[in-house]
Amino acid sequence: MDVTMGCCVGTRPPPSCLILLLLKLLATVSQGLPGTGPLGFHFTQSVYNATVYENSAARTYVNSQSRMGITLIDLSWDIKYRIVSGDEEGFFKAEEVIIADFCFLRIRTKGGNSAILNREIQDNYLLIVKGSVRGEDLEAWTKVNIQVLDMNDLRPLFSPTTYSVTIAESTPLRTSVAQVTATDADIGSNGEFYYYFKNKVDLFSVHPTSGVISLSGRLNYDEKNRYDLEILAVDRGMKLYGNNGVSSTAKLYVHIERINEHTPTLHVVTHIPFLLDREPTYAVVTVNDLDEGANGEIESVSIVAGDPFDQFLLAKEGKWMNEYRIKERKQVDWEGFPYGYNLTLQAKDKGSPQKFSAVKIVHIANPKRDTVPIRFEKETYDVSISEFSPPGVVVAIVKLSPEPLDVEYKLSPGEDAQFFKINPRSGLIVTAQPLNTVKKEVYKLVVTNKEGDLKAQVTIGIEDANDHTPEFQQLLYDAFVNESVPVGTSVLTVSASDKDKGENGYITYSIASLNLLPFAINQFTGVISTTEELDFESSPEIYRFIVRASDWGSPYRHESEVNVTIRIGNVNDNSPLFEKVACQGVISYDFPVGGHITAVSAIDIDELELVKYKIISGNELGFFYLNPDSGVLQLKKSLMNSGIKNGNFALRITATDGENFADPMSVNISVLHGKVSSKSFSCRETRVAQKLAEKLLIKAKANGKLNLEDGFLDFYSINRQGPHFDKSFPSDVAVKENLPVGANILKIKVYDADSGFNGKVLFTISDGNTDSCFNIDMETGQLKVLMPMDREHTDLYLLNITIYDLGNPQKSSWRLLTINVEDANDNSPIFLQDSYSVNILESSSIGTEIIQVEARDKDLGSNGEVTYSVLTDTQQFAINSSTGIVYVADQLDRETKANYSLKIEARDKAESGQQLFSVVTLKVFLDDVNDCSPAFIPSSYSVKVLEDLPVGTVIAWLETHDPDLGLGGQVRYSLVNDYNGRFEIDKASGAIRLSKELDYEKQQLYNLTVRAKDKGRPVSLSSVSFVEVEVVDVNENLHSPYFPDFAVVGSVKENSRLGTSVLKVTARDEDTGRDGEVQYSIRDGSGLGRFNIDDESGVISTADILDRETAGSYWLTVYATDRGVVPLYSSIEVYIEIEDVNDNAPLTSDPIYYPVIMENSPKDVSVIQIQAEDPDSSSNEKLTYRITSGNPQNFFTINTKTEWNLHKDRTFVSLLAIVFSALNSDWQMKPNPFVCVSM
């Protein structure tokens, strides 16, 4: 149908109308949902969980915490449920129960001859249930998971039923000796059971839940050696149900044996007797066996191996019962067994079966042989010393270990032994003579003891020293070289060698000259070559200089020199030079033939040959003659006959030394008539002679310098001065005897004016070092302690300190140095015994002297005075510091501390330096006195006991501690109050047992007073403790509350006040007491929060304002819970329907209507149909209609009951507004709607 809705400003539809519309929309939508049917046909859950007890009677319904079923959207549905799978045995049946709008699914067990549910066979069923609507094609499915709950229908069973154990008579109390095992197929509390003894048993106890049987009393094999115990198992549920039947009985046979459990153990303390002992004891053997009785007695101890000649025996002696001493049976053959005997011992007891100890090997040392063999500390000593070492230098110290008191060291004779000497008492080897006189790299010495049966080899490597000077192969070198050789020409090679090794023998060369020389030497090869051009004419003809060869040694270099002479050969390498050139002059026409015209002069610097002159041009006519030797130019033939009246002659003249020609000079001669001056010739000077004189002067000076160097002497190569001691050298030095090895004593200062090796000083102790206590550093002169000094042995040394230089010849000097050894506190006090021990009663009074210790100090004076003190932090003991008497200083208590290990110190009274001391151990053993009462651990006890524990169960173990020994430490227990025999205690073990059953409902707490008393004599001591026993309530809540119906229905009017009672639910519980008291609560449902329930009465009342138009009904899930220790509960579904009250006015479909009618319409024409609804269900069919206003002329009328039709009654020619009202049966109406009629 079409729904036309209108609204008017200011109006709002009521909520009830909206809810109705929403329901219609949901119904319309649900018709299109696939699989759910047109109206949403489905179970509330896809899976339900339910429970049912096994062995349930027929027609027992399963219990589910959820509402199982389908909500009836259509109340006309006729729903049927059927189990389609999961119930192959046919245990269950599905039923349907409809209450209000819900069709419940109820599943019950079938009646008749159907099998009974058994959880032990199957504890779970998963049923698939189908729901369908009769006459319609609607179906739905769900799963119901049914858990079968356990009932206590089975009893525990033993497996096995017979047990047998064997235990030792010495088994300690509380030891677990056996365990019995029973099983119950029930689960949870139904499967719990207790173990207990069928009859009363004192010596054993059984744990009620684990079945462990423990020893609770002392066993005595002689009294009884077998116990037959019967153990029962009771199901805890049986007592609750009032049935004390027992499942089965197990038998336990306990056999008691005196088991020889432990083997004897041997403890051996060896002893080396004195050779003069008549009956020497070689070892003390003690035997222990932890067994008791005959099993712990030792039958014998014997030597089972290692004594092939039966020379030893075991004698049972000493104050202890099982102490044996190894002695001689006859004279022992020590020569055949120089290293002693290895005896194998074994002990056997008197037990049954007899047991043997593990074998014990005892080494009996040869008393005639030192326990530690004497040998040199090293078989080979490898040392190295410098080749420079003078006599007295320390080489090595050889030692025997251990060193005998009468030790004497010797050097075996040999080629190398002459260079060394050894101190026979200390084993110090020093050099006896210089080592550089013999070129040897290694010396080998053999050191022996006095007897010569022990040997050690000393290999001495000589470290190469720079003690050789390079030596040239020639005494001098002479060479000749022409002045014409080019620069770099090798002239001469010098060569030297050095016998040293390494850098000490590596040589370099240099030229030692104060003047510059035209030569250089290669420092590595010794090749001398020119460094510049040589010129015979301007340089010395002979060069004499020194070449020096130096090694690279340290600390100084050795050098040697050789004279080298190099002669310069003259070479004709210069041309003659004219003294004058460019001469010109005049002669007369009548100059006589043979007359001296002029003379030319040339000088040749080489001076090897005479200069010759000749005219090379200008004398073609032969008028002139030039003397080739003198250079005089003469007229050879007359000019007058020549026909030459006036003329000039240009002569070119040269000079030659035979190889080289001088540059030509010109002589121009003019011939004139008349008289001519005698000085008519002039020439230009070349100063050749002056230059030659200067060269000769330079050459003379150079020769003079070279000759001057020949007069220099090498003052540095001569050892002119000997070494000298500094003025600060002391005559005596005082040192403490306790100065440590390596400590510096004195650094000796010396000087030597020479340089290099001539001034290098070496130090040595050449005599007086009788005990080898001192050593001096050869290089630095530092005097040190080499070996420990002992003033008691030697208090003064007179050392001969000798110093040497390394010059050639070597020079030396010596001085005596007195060493005074001062006394030091180097001896500690020594106790007369290695340790002390004493036994005293723990009741010893304060001040009781228990022992005196004594120590002696070899030092003198205050260094030898001894004072005593107790180092151990104790208040119980003290010592007299002067006498060493130890006494009791405070109360003693063996139970607090049974023995004391005191450290006693003996210290000297040295006034300077560190005081010396020694410490000895004093062991004080306290003998017991019965002075302690048994102390409970803890001081009091608190136990919780289940009320259903069986009689005989041990509920507590008492434990005490009595530190006294013997009878004073043995404790017996007793109960001061036992609550009318409800509890009992084992006097030996302290086990408290139940003698009667407990009942929580009668008494919840017991306070037991227990006493522990020892067996001390003459007075026994006791103490008291308390045991608080709290009885724990056991869950006896057997029955759950139950409702007579699974669901109830109630109703209440919607206008009811808060707190209005709706209905009452009642559950019953067959338990008594608190277990049967029921409390109610609402835990689920659509009405949760809308209703309350009284937890005691079960009355359900309203808790909120109810509105039927909002919700017409509610479901509640009500729980009934008892007050048991483990509460049980059940639930019921409550349906409450809300009864309608007329509290709503009718409501039209539209607030304003706009019909149109033609004017002049006839009477009774239908104008409009008005529709109205009332949310109240009871008033919906009782609506009446009337026009309330807007119709004064009564043009319109309205049907008051059925259809709401508005009819025209009269003619009207305008717009007419009509107001009408719809009234329900209670004459309630809402605001009037309007009908506007247009004509």
Side-chain angles (χ1 to χ4, degrees):
M1 55 181 264
D2 295 334
V3 179
T4 303
M5 296 183 64
C7 64
C8 186
V9 176
T11 62
R12 183 175 182 181
S16 58
C17 294
L18 296 177
I19 293 173
L20 291 173
L21 292 174
L22 181 60
L23 289 175
K24 291 183 178 181
L25 288 174
L26 288 174
T28 304
V29 172
S30 64
Q31 295 179 0
L33 292 177
T36 61
L39 295 177
F41 182 77
H42 57 82
F43 284 93
T44 56
Q45 293 180 204
S46 59
V47 178
Y48 297 98
N49 291 314
T51 59
V52 65
Y53 281 96
E54 64 174 331
N55 304 326
S56 294
R59 301 182 182 277
T60 298
Y61 289 92
V62 302
N63 183 28
S64 174
Q65 301 304 316
S66 302
R67 283 194 302 158
M68 299 190 300
I70 298 174
T71 301
L72 298 177
I73 296 177
D74 189 344
L75 298 179
S76 64
W77 286 345
D78 184 8
I79 298 177
K80 296 296 180 182
Y81 297 121
R82 184 169 62 89
I83 299 173
V84 297
S85 66
D87 185 22
E88 287 73 10
E89 294 85 355
F91 286 129
F92 303 100
K93 177 177 177 57
E95 296 180 352
E96 54 278 335
V97 177
I98 296 177
I99 297 178
D101 61 348
F102 194 81
C103 181
F104 285 90
L105 167 63
R106 303 211 67 199
I107 298 176
R108 63 173 176 82
T109 57
K110 290 183 178 181
N113 297 325
S114 299
I116 297 176
L117 291 172
N118 190 338
R119 186 201 62 81
E120 288 73 27
I121 297 176
Q122 185 171 349
D123 62 354
N124 184 273
Y125 295 88
L126 183 61
L127 307 181
I128 297 179
V129 179
K130 174 185 175 182
S132 60
V133 177
R134 185 178 297 176
E136 297 188 31
D137 188 16
L138 293 177
E139 293 180 347
W141 288 265
T142 190
K143 295 179 181 178
V144 181
N145 184 19
I146 299 177
Q147 187 74 28
V148 181
L149 301 180
D150 184 56
M151 292 289 288
N152 193 14
D153 57 345
L154 297 173
R155 297 180 179 182
L157 295 174
F158 280 102
S159 177
T161 58
T162 303
Y163 302 83
S164 178
V165 295
T166 300
I167 61 175
E169 179 187 22
S170 59
T171 302
L173 293 175
R174 304 188 190 180
T175 300
S176 300
V177 298
Q179 183 176 16
V180 295
T181 304
T183 57
D184 191 324
D186 291 321
I187 62 173
S189 61
N190 295 328
E192 296 176 359
F193 54 89
Y194 287 138
Y195 299 97
Y196 66 96
F197 290 120
K198 182 177 181 181
N199 302 310
K200 183 177 180 181
V201 178
D202 293 329
L203 292 182
F204 300 93
S205 64
V206 59
H207 193 278
T209 57
S210 67
V212 174
I213 289 89
S214 302
L215 184 65
S216 60
R218 299 288 182 184
L219 299 175
N220 190 328
Y221 178 83
D222 297 326
E223 293 180 1
K224 192 172 184 179
N225 59 14
R226 172 175 162 175
Y227 294 88
D228 297 341
L229 307 177
E230 287 189 76
I231 300 99
L232 306 179
V234 58
D235 196 320
R236 293 186 64 186
M238 294 296 183
K239 183 176 181 181
L240 299 180
Y241 297 128
N243 183 356
N244 289 324
V246 179
S247 62
S248 62
T249 302
K251 290 188 177 182
L252 171 63
Y253 302 100
V254 182
H255 302 273
I256 311 302
E257 286 187 358
R258 281 182 174 167
I259 299 176
N260 190 6
E261 185 177 358
H262 300 94
T263 59
T265 56
L266 294 172
H267 302 275
V268 180
V269 178
T270 58
H271 175 256
I272 300 178
F274 292 106
L275 295 176
L276 300 179
D277 288 348
R278 292 184 178 181
E279 293 184 358
T281 297
Y282 294 99
V284 177
V285 182
T286 56
V287 190
N288 294 323
D289 195 317
L290 299 179
D291 293 313
E292 296 180 355
N295 294 330
E297 296 179 6
I298 304 302
E299 180 177 291
S300 65
V301 181
S302 56
I303 301 171
V304 297
D307 186 17
F309 305 116
D310 198 22
Q311 300 173 103
F312 299 94
L313 62 87
L314 281 159
K316 190 172 184 180
E317 297 180 2
K319 63 179 181 179
W320 305 109
M321 183 175 63
N322 292 327
E323 182 176 291
Y324 299 80
R325 296 176 184 267
I326 299 179
K327 294 192 172 185
E328 292 182 355
R329 187 187 301 274
K330 57 185 177 181
Q331 187 174 1
V332 179
D333 178 17
W334 296 113
E335 300 297 331
F337 295 84
Y339 295 100
Y341 292 83
N342 289 326
L343 303 182
T344 303
L345 308 182
Q346 191 172 43
K348 59 182 176 180
D349 59 22
K350 295 181 180 179
S352 177
Q354 199 170 48
K355 287 197 172 183
F356 294 82
S357 70
V359 295
K360 184 81 172 182
I361 297 177
V362 182
H363 177 70
I364 306 299
N366 185 352
K368 298 181 180 180
R369 183 181 180 88
D370 293 332
T371 56
V372 180
I374 298 176
R375 58 170 62 93
F376 280 96
E377 292 178 347
K378 298 179 182 179
E379 294 182 359
T380 302
Y381 294 82
D382 292 319
V383 295
S384 59
I385 60 175
S386 173
E387 190 178 9
F388 281 147
S389 300
V393 172
V394 173
V395 177
I397 300 175
V398 295
K399 286 287 184 183
L400 288 172
S401 177
E403 190 174 60
L405 296 177
D406 59 344
V407 66
E408 183 178 342
Y409 298 96
K410 294 181 179 180
L411 285 179
S412 297
E415 178 185 353
D416 295 341
Q418 59 181 323
F419 295 97
F420 304 91
K421 60 182 179 180
I422 189 169
N423 188 318
R425 287 188 297 176
S426 66
L428 176 66
I429 301 174
V430 297
T431 56
Q433 54 182 289
L435 302 178
N436 56 0
T437 59
V438 179
K439 300 306 174 185
K440 196 168 185 180
E441 296 181 356
V442 177
Y443 292 86
K444 292 188 177 180
L445 307 177
V446 176
V447 181
T448 66
N449 61 346
K450 180 172 59 176
E451 293 79 10
D453 56 343
L454 300 175
K455 296 181 180 180
Q457 182 172 318
V458 182
T459 302
I460 305 168
I462 305 302
E463 297 176 352
D464 182 58
N466 192 18
D467 59 341
H468 291 94
T469 302
E471 296 180 359
F472 284 97
Q473 295 179 355
Q474 299 176 209
L475 296 178
L476 57 86
Y477 290 86
D478 197 331
F480 176 86
V481 62
N482 287 323
E483 66 171 332
S484 60
V485 296
V487 175
T489 299
S490 297
V491 178
L492 175 65
T493 300
V494 297
S495 178
S497 60
D498 194 320
K499 296 180 181 179
D500 293 319
K501 295 181 179 179
E503 292 187 348
N504 293 334
Y506 190 76
I507 299 174
T508 56
Y509 302 91
S510 62
I511 295 176
S513 177
L514 299 177
N515 299 312
L516 294 177
L517 298 177
F519 303 101
I521 189 168
N522 187 302
Q523 60 176 342
F524 302 111
T525 64
V527 175
I528 299 173
S529 58
T530 60
T531 58
E532 58 186 56
E533 292 183 354
L534 301 177
D535 188 7
F536 179 84
E537 290 73 23
S538 60
S539 301
E541 299 176 8
I542 298 175
Y543 288 89
R544 291 187 180 88
F545 53 89
I546 295 173
V547 172
R548 184 174 295 148
S550 301
D551 61 28
W552 285 33
S554 62
Y556 305 103
R557 293 185 177 188
H558 273 300
E559 298 178 345
S560 62
E561 298 176 348
V562 68
N563 289 322
V564 177
T565 301
I566 298 179
R567 304 177 189 278
I568 306 302
N570 193 7
V571 177
N572 187 14
D573 57 348
N574 292 290
S575 300
L577 298 174
F578 288 100
E579 292 185 73
K580 297 179 180 180
V581 295
C583 296
Q584 58 185 4
V586 180
I587 61 172
S588 63
Y589 184 71
D590 57 354
F591 194 84
V593 174
H596 185 183
I597 301 173
T598 186
V600 295
S601 175
I603 298 174
D604 192 340
I605 298 176
D606 292 325
E607 298 181 357
L608 295 177
E609 299 291 341
L610 295 176
V611 177
K612 302 292 185 180
Y613 304 95
K614 74 174 182 178
I615 300 171
I616 58 175
S617 66
N619 192 25
E620 290 81 6
L621 299 179
F623 289 102
F624 303 98
Y625 169 73
L626 179 64
N627 189 315
D629 296 320
S630 63
V632 174
L633 181 62
Q634 298 173 329
L635 186 63
K636 185 178 181 181
K637 59 181 180 180
S638 175
L639 294 174
M640 292 186 299
N641 298 325
S642 63
I644 300 173
K645 295 180 179 180
N646 291 315
N648 291 320
F649 295 95
L651 303 180
R652 290 175 58 83
I653 299 173
T654 185
T656 180
D657 57 9
E659 295 182 11
N660 302 315
F661 290 90
D663 293 336
M665 65 165 291
S666 62
V667 177
N668 294 321
I669 302 173
S670 299
V671 179
L672 300 176
H673 290 280
K675 188 177 180 179
V676 178
S677 174
S678 60
K679 297 183 179 179
S680 59
F681 270 87
S682 62
C683 299
R684 180 168 56 85
E685 294 288 341
T686 61
R687 300 182 63 192
V688 171
Q690 182 180 355
K691 292 179 180 179
L692 178 59
E694 291 175 354
K695 278 189 175 185
L696 293 176
L697 182 58
I698 292 172
K699 183 175 184 179
K701 289 181 179 180
N703 285 329
K705 289 182 180 180
L706 291 177
N707 293 332
L708 183 61
E709 282 191 2
D710 293 340
F712 287 132
L713 296 176
D714 185 7
F715 292 99
Y716 300 100
S717 63
I718 299 176
N719 189 15
R720 296 178 180 276
Q721 303 289 333
H724 297 279
F725 287 91
D726 191 78
K727 293 181 180 180
S728 62
F729 185 86
S731 61
D732 59 86
V733 175
V735 297
K736 287 282 188 181
E737 64 173 321
N738 59 351
L739 204 62
V741 172
N744 295 331
I745 299 175
L746 173 68
K747 187 170 185 179
I748 298 174
K749 297 181 180 180
V750 298
Y751 64 91
D752 191 320
D754 293 318
S755 63
F757 282 97
N758 296 328
K760 174 66 176 175
V761 181
L762 302 180
F763 301 82
T764 185
I765 301 174
S766 58
D767 197 11
N769 194 13
T770 55
D771 295 325
S772 305
C773 293
F774 308 99
N775 183 29
I776 190 168
D777 190 280
M778 184 181 73
E779 299 282 347
T780 65
Q782 180 69 57
L783 185 65
K784 297 183 178 181
V785 179
L786 180 63
M787 290 186 181
M789 294 175 285
D790 186 4
R791 188 201 62 80
E792 290 74 19
H793 182 266
T794 305
D795 61 356
L796 185 142
Y797 295 92
L798 187 62
L799 303 182
N800 185 333
I801 308 297
T802 304
I803 55 177
Y804 299 86
D805 64 19
L806 293 179
N808 192 7
Q810 192 174 49
K811 295 186 178 184
S812 64
S813 179
W814 61 271
R815 291 282 295 274
L816 294 178
L817 177 65
T818 301
I819 304 291
N820 294 309
V821 182
E822 295 182 346
D823 184 43
N825 187 23
D826 58 344
N827 290 299
S828 302
I830 302 299
F831 283 95
L832 301 184
Q833 294 180 212
D834 293 335
S835 63
Y836 297 84
S837 65
V838 64
N839 287 67
I840 62 173
L841 288 175
E842 65 172 320
S843 58
S844 298
S845 60
I846 296 175
T848 302
E849 296 180 355
I850 61 175
I851 196 172
Q852 181 178 16
V853 297
E854 184 180 359
R856 296 176 183 176
D857 194 324
K858 296 179 181 179
D859 292 324
L860 301 177
S862 60
N863 292 338
E865 295 181 11
V866 179
T867 179
Y868 301 93
S869 62
V870 179
L871 297 181
T872 305
D873 184 13
T874 178
Q875 297 179 352
Q876 280 69 34
F877 300 95
I879 191 169
N880 187 305
S881 61
S882 301
T883 63
I885 295 176
V886 181
Y887 58 90
V888 178
D890 201 353
Q891 293 294 334
L892 302 176
D893 185 7
R894 189 203 65 82
E895 289 72 29
T896 303
K897 194 169 185 180
N899 56 73
Y900 293 83
S901 180
L902 305 179
K903 297 294 183 182
I904 308 296
E905 180 192 73
R907 183 182 291 269
D908 60 32
K909 296 182 179 180
E911 297 176 355
S912 62
Q914 185 177 4
Q915 293 180 340
L916 298 180
F917 62 90
S918 61
V919 178
V920 72
T921 300
L922 168 61
K923 293 187 176 180
V924 182
F925 298 95
L926 303 185
D927 293 336
D928 183 52
V929 174
N930 187 28
D931 57 349
C932 294
S933 301
F936 282 92
I937 303 174
S939 59
S940 62
Y941 298 82
S942 177
V943 295
K944 292 184 178 182
V945 180
L946 295 174
E947 63 172 326
D948 64 340
L949 284 179
V951 173
T953 300
V954 174
I955 63 172
W957 291 90
L958 300 185
E959 185 173 355
T960 57
H961 174 66
D962 192 330
D964 291 321
L965 302 178
L967 293 176
Q970 296 181 12
V971 180
R972 289 292 180 266
Y973 302 91
S974 61
L975 278 176
V976 177
N977 60 330
D978 59 1
Y979 286 90
N980 298 322
R982 194 171 297 278
F983 303 95
E984 64 180 5
I985 189 170
D986 188 281
K987 64 180 181 178
S989 65
I992 299 178
R993 289 186 171 89
L994 286 178
S995 298
K996 296 180 180 179
E997 292 183 350
L998 301 176
D999 190 350
Y1000 175 84
E1001 285 69 27
K1002 292 181 179 180
Q1003 186 168 349
Q1004 294 84 35
L1005 190 68
Y1006 298 88
N1007 197 351
L1008 305 179
T1009 302
V1010 293
R1011 175 178 286 113
K1013 186 176 183 180
D1014 63 27
K1015 294 183 178 181
R1017 294 290 182 271
V1019 178
S1020 61
L1021 303 176
S1022 64
S1023 61
V1024 174
S1025 180
F1026 300 95
V1027 181
E1028 184 181 84
V1029 180
E1030 180 183 351
V1031 181
V1032 178
D1033 188 19
V1034 174
N1035 181 25
E1036 300 172 332
N1037 190 11
L1038 302 179
H1039 305 284
S1040 301
Y1042 67 92
F1043 291 97
D1045 297 308
F1046 79 96
V1048 294
V1049 177
S1051 63
V1052 63
K1053 291 186 179 295
E1054 64 174 328
N1055 60 350
S1056 299
R1057 296 179 181 179
L1058 296 180
T1060 300
S1061 297
V1062 180
L1063 60 88
K1064 179 180 180 180
V1065 293
T1066 302
R1068 297 179 182 177
D1069 195 317
E1070 297 179 3
D1071 294 310
T1072 60
R1074 292 177 57 86
D1075 296 334
E1077 297 178 5
V1078 178
Q1079 289 182 314
Y1080 301 93
S1081 61
I1082 299 174
R1083 299 189 185 181
D1084 199 2
S1086 60
L1088 193 64
R1090 301 278 186 179
F1091 298 91
N1092 289 331
I1093 189 170
D1094 187 278
D1095 58 353
E1096 298 292 338
S1097 64
V1099 174
I1100 300 174
S1101 59
T1102 60
D1104 197 0
I1105 299 299
L1106 303 176
D1107 184 14
R1108 192 202 66 80
E1109 289 72 30
T1110 301
S1113 62
Y1114 293 95
W1115 282 97
L1116 300 177
T1117 301
V1118 176
Y1119 278 70
T1121 307
D1122 61 27
R1123 298 190 181 186
V1125 176
V1126 180
L1128 300 177
Y1129 61 87
S1130 62
S1131 63
I1132 187 173
E1133 296 293 329
V1134 178
Y1135 175 79
I1136 299 177
E1137 183 177 1
I1138 308 303
E1139 295 180 354
D1140 186 40
V1141 174
N1142 188 18
D1143 58 349
N1144 291 286
L1147 182 65
T1148 58
S1149 59
D1150 291 319
I1152 300 176
Y1153 296 87
Y1154 296 95
V1156 178
I1157 185 173
M1158 296 298 293
E1159 64 178 336
N1160 302 321
S1161 296
K1163 184 181 178 181
D1164 295 328
V1165 174
S1166 178
V1167 178
I1168 191 172
Q1169 183 176 354
I1170 304 299
Q1171 293 182 348
E1173 291 184 358
D1174 193 323
D1176 295 322
S1177 59
S1178 59
S1179 302
N1180 204 24
E1181 298 179 355
K1182 301 177 182 180
L1183 295 180
T1184 59
Y1185 302 88
R1186 67 187 180 89
I1187 299 175
T1188 60
S1189 64
N1191 188 25
Q1193 294 85 5
N1194 294 322
F1195 287 131
F1196 298 92
T1197 61
I1198 190 169
N1199 190 324
T1200 60
K1201 294 292 184 184
T1202 58
E1203 298 294 334
W1204 305 340
N1205 293 320
L1206 192 62
H1207 299 273
K1208 179 177 178 295
D1209 191 35
R1210 298 181 182 179
T1211 302
F1212 192 67
V1213 290
S1214 66
L1215 179 62
L1216 178 63
I1218 302 174
V1219 180
F1220 72 93
S1221 295
L1223 291 87
N1224 57 22
S1225 60
D1226 295 327
W1227 300 98
Q1228 295 177 348
M1229 56 183 159
K1230 294 282 286 180
N1232 299 324
F1234 292 88
V1235 179
C1236 299
V1237 183
S1238 298
M1239 302 262 182

